Amino acid sequence: MSANSADTRGAVEVVLVKAGRTKIRYPAELLHDDGTRIAVRAPWAAAGVRDFGFVRLEPKDVLTEYYWRDRWYAVKEVRDELGTLKGWYCDITRPATVSGGEMTVEDLDLDLWRSADGRTVLRLDEDEFAASGLAVTDPQAAAAAVRALDDLELLARGGGFEGLLA
């Protein structure tokens, strides 16, 4: 999978960076890469259970993850081991970059959750984003991140959200 060409097979290593450090790295099955949007599937990669209060992520959960080379977010569809949809966890990130079988995304702290039934939409970690200092160190990136969160929230509340993933 090259940085600018489409690919529809194989594997990719997903590398999530936060504050200049690798937060997590995991292998994923490449489902599709059209040169702009990349779709991968992977089991929940973190150790153990993570209970956010609004969703519980567990070792047997499967995530279908969508990344863009031209958008400031990633959308992760979360399903349990039986395939039941739990919802979508959205990370606000810099656009994905791909090189040598690795896809790297930089987490910018802001997140959004949309429940499977679409009734619950939560903006998350705005306090972490403010504390990160990005608005001072990179005001253009901070503004793009806030716009991305606003755009995702509008889609999640008003329709068209699933169209991102089609």
Side-chain angles (χ1 to χ4, degrees):
M1 180 169 60
S2 69
N4 297 310
S5 65
D7 198 352
T8 57
R9 64 194 179 291
V12 64
E13 187 87 3
V14 177
V15 181
L16 182 62
V17 176
K18 188 170 182 177
R21 295 187 178 151
T22 298
K23 181 178 174 181
I24 193 167
R25 166 188 293 269
Y26 54 92
E29 173 192 2
L30 177 63
L31 300 175
H32 186 75
D33 178 0
D34 65 10
T36 301
R37 189 184 76 173
I38 306 152
V40 302
R41 182 172 295 128
W44 168 241
V49 172
R50 182 124 186 240
D51 191 342
F52 291 94
F54 51 86
V55 67
R56 235 174 106 89
L57 298 178
E58 301 170 290
K60 292 187 178 185
D61 287 347
V62 176
L63 283 70
T64 302
E65 305 175 0
Y66 301 87
Y67 299 90
W68 285 265
R69 289 179 174 92
D70 63 350
R71 297 185 189 183
W72 287 70
Y73 52 78
V75 176
K76 300 172 181 181
E77 179 182 274
V78 182
R79 292 183 179 271
D80 70 16
E81 65 182 301
L82 300 176
T84 303
L85 179 63
K86 292 183 175 186
W88 294 269
Y89 197 95
C90 307
D91 287 321
I92 303 304
T93 66
R94 291 183 190 268
T97 60
V98 179
S99 178
E102 284 189 355
M103 177 175 55
T104 303
V105 289
E106 183 181 350
D107 185 345
L108 298 177
D109 292 310
L110 293 171
D111 301 297
L112 184 94
W113 169 255
R114 182 177 189 249
S115 62
D117 63 10
R119 286 187 263 182
T120 302
V121 176
L122 303 171
R123 291 172 69 109
L124 305 167
D125 302 329
E126 290 177 294
D127 54 339
E128 287 180 31
F129 178 73
S132 75
L134 189 64
V136 173
T137 60
D138 191 344
Q140 289 180 323
V146 171
R147 275 192 310 274
L149 181 62
D150 291 343
D151 291 348
L152 274 175
E153 183 179 20
L154 282 173
L155 287 170
R157 291 186 187 282
F161 185 78
E162 287 87 351
L164 286 173
L165 315 178

